[in-house]
């Protein structure tokens, strides 16, 4: 349960998950879409709540 500060409200899309099976990972899946809620954290007005894979990286982008 990680909280990551983000600058914009709305939905964020997963664009890369290095723990995905196609990259040799365990397949521990982070949701394809995550919605930011209004909760100031880390100097940003919004946050994403994520369950992150161990020893992996997840890249997200705003869904515009």
């Amino acid at each position: 349960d990680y909280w990551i500060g983000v600058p914009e409200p709305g939905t964020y899309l997963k664009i890369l998950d290095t723990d995905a099976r196609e990259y040799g990972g365990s397949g521990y899946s982070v949701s394809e879409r995550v919605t930011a809620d209004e909760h100031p954290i880390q100097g940003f007005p919004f946050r994403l709540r994520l369950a992150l894979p161990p020893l992996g990286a997840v890249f997200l982008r705003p869904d515009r």
Side-chain angles (χ1 to χ4, degrees):
D1 189 26
Y2 291 91
W3 295 2
I4 308 295
V6 293
E8 301 176 19
T11 303
Y12 286 71
L13 299 175
K14 179 171 63 173
I15 57 174
L16 176 67
D17 180 356
T18 63
D19 194 51
R21 293 205 186 275
E22 58 262 32
Y23 301 119
S26 68
Y28 181 87
S29 181
V30 174
S31 299
E32 294 295 320
R33 296 174 186 267
V34 183
T35 301
D37 60 352
E38 191 169 358
H39 183 99
I41 189 169
Q42 301 167 336
F44 292 99
F46 301 93
R47 73 171 177 190
L48 298 176
R49 293 184 69 183
L50 304 170
L52 298 175
L55 304 174
V58 175
F59 292 80
L60 303 162
R61 70 165 176 83
D63 182 17
R64 295 185 185 160

